[in-house]
Amino acid sequence: GGAKHEFTGACEYLLREEREARSELGRAFLEEKAIAVHGFVLASPTLSLADSLRSLAWIRWAGLFGICGFPDSPRTADFVLTSLELRADGDNERAASERAGLIKSILRPM
């Protein structure tokens, strides 16, 4: 269906962009963005699919660089990426809330 196809395409795009950006940007920039994402996710009661994907990209990247407050392995973010609720029985608000909770669960205090 369309939703699964869109999700798969978004995931492929996200991974491609992450690889490219990782080679161009330095650690200081990453730390600044990671701290901002950490705060954004923790303060958000719900997350859109787009915000979830963007947040997971930064979380994954921060984990690769060993930044405090983030998972030690990018596999953690990869697992969450494959577990995101697209729609919870047609209830987009509930799905957004579940996405936020899932992503928050992998973050640690900074």
Side-chain angles (χ1 to χ4, degrees), residues 33-103:
K33 289 298 238 181
I35 290 168
V37 165
H38 194 280
F40 171 74
V41 169
L42 291 180
S44 299
T46 61
L47 288 172
S48 68
L49 182 57
D51 284 340
S52 297
L53 293 173
R54 279 190 289 271
S55 297
L56 283 170
W58 288 108
I59 289 167
R60 187 177 195 282
W61 201 8
L64 283 169
F65 277 81
I67 296 174
C68 181
F70 295 90
D72 295 330
S73 170
R75 298 284 181 220
T76 304
D78 293 345
F79 174 76
V80 169
L81 181 65
T82 63
S83 303
L84 288 179
E85 284 291 332
L86 299 179
R87 290 187 206 109
D89 300 324
D91 185 349
N92 290 333
E93 189 67 22
R94 187 170 130 229
S97 177
E98 289 178 14
R99 283 191 295 267
L102 183 59
I103 295 173

Side-chain angles (χ1 to χ4, degrees), residues 15-34:
L15 292 171
R16 188 173 48 254
E17 289 295 308
E18 179 186 344
R19 283 187 204 105
E20 193 174 305
R22 193 180 321 142
S23 68
E24 295 176 9
L25 302 173
R27 183 178 176 96
F29 179 79
L30 171 61
E31 287 178 351
E32 180 182 316
K33 289 298 238 181

